[in-house]
Amino acid sequence: TVSYKHDDFVPTCVLVLLMGGGSSFSAGGPGKGIYSRLYRKVLCHNRFVFSAIALNHPYADGSLFTFNGSCPPPDLGNLAKVFAAEIGAMVKEQFTEEEVARAKNMLLCTLFMNIETRTIALEDIGRQVCELGKRESAEEIRTKIEKVTIEDVTRIARNLVKTAPAIAALGNLSALPSDSVLLSQIQEAIHSSGSSFKFWSR
């Protein structure tokens, strides 16, 4: 996906929090993301899933948008099917105003809670000056977050599948389907409702 210098970086961050996720066990407390898509549709309905979370790793020339999950080795095939279904749903299903508003509010909360800590605020200033050559205030970033629309998030989600995803796994992988099978599952999930959306070629 886009780098942290790109105009679409903030909408990408909103998409990450909208997809959300976490682990099957949480100690509780606010802001755990239990209303995010991966939590509601994966963790709450599949007992074999230990964790399922969407993350974005930004760099100066691009970023890695990932779906990370863990489960018992025998259930790897099932986990792959679940993730394929959620990637397909992310691309073809319409996001709701409620989902996008909640994700934007979570991002705003994260931003303003972090800058209350002086060490984090100073680190943020240093990173911005080193990487961007300037510092954007929290209010400037807040304005960018509030301007994100459903159309922005939908466009980002669909851009993610314009190139073939990379697949990485660690552990006992005897039950993990081949790369070709995994990619086919994602493509089938995207087109299961007759969508004509174009993505990477096989």
Side-chain angles (χ1 to χ4, degrees):
T1 54
V2 299
S3 75
Y4 53 71
K5 300 178 181 180
H6 198 282
D7 290 341
D8 281 340
F9 177 62
V10 171
T12 302
C13 292
V14 173
L15 176 61
V16 169
L17 288 174
L18 189 155
M19 297 306 296
S23 65
S24 56
F25 173 80
S26 172
K32 295 295 183 180
I34 61 173
Y35 287 101
S36 64
R37 279 203 175 185
L38 292 182
Y39 206 106
R40 288 184 292 108
K41 298 175 70 176
V42 176
L43 289 162
C44 289
H45 294 283
N46 299 280
R47 296 176 59 186
F48 62 86
V49 180
F50 293 154
S51 65
I53 186 168
L55 297 169
N56 190 55
H57 306 275
Y59 302 96
D61 58 351
S63 60
L64 295 175
F65 192 101
T66 66
F67 286 91
N68 297 353
S70 60
C71 68
D75 289 309
L76 281 171
N78 294 326
L79 180 62
K81 289 179 182 178
V82 168
F83 271 145
E86 289 312 309
I87 293 170
M90 178 184 71
V91 171
K92 70 187 180 184
E93 292 182 4
Q94 179 68 39
F95 297 115
T96 67
E97 290 281 1
E98 183 180 21
E99 283 182 308
V100 174
R102 183 183 293 120
K104 289 163 64 174
N105 286 336
M106 289 180 66
L107 187 55
L108 285 168
C109 287
T110 301
L111 169 66
F112 284 102
M113 286 180 66
N114 281 337
I115 62 173
E116 289 182 359
T117 305
R118 184 170 298 180
T119 53
I120 296 178
L122 289 173
E123 180 182 354
D124 179 60
I125 292 171
R127 286 178 180 272
Q128 287 196 50
V129 172
C130 288
E131 298 297 334
L132 303 177
K134 62 178 181 177
R135 184 203 173 217
E136 286 187 321
S137 69
E139 285 300 315
E140 289 176 299
I141 300 172
R142 178 185 64 81
T143 300
K144 289 183 178 182
I145 294 171
E146 291 180 342
K147 287 182 177 179
V148 175
T149 65
I150 289 180
E151 290 73 24
D152 293 329
V153 179
T154 300
R155 175 171 47 79
I156 299 297
R158 292 181 174 178
N159 283 342
L160 292 175
V161 296
K162 287 187 176 179
T163 56
I167 299 166
L170 178 67
N172 180 353
L173 308 180
S174 58
L176 182 68
S178 67
D179 288 0
S180 60
V181 170
L182 293 173
L183 295 178
S184 294
Q185 288 176 345
I186 295 171
Q187 291 179 323
E188 289 167 6
I190 293 172
H191 278 186
S192 62
S193 64
S195 169
S196 60
F197 179 73
K198 294 182 180 180
F199 45 77
W200 80 92
S201 59
R202 296 190 179 183

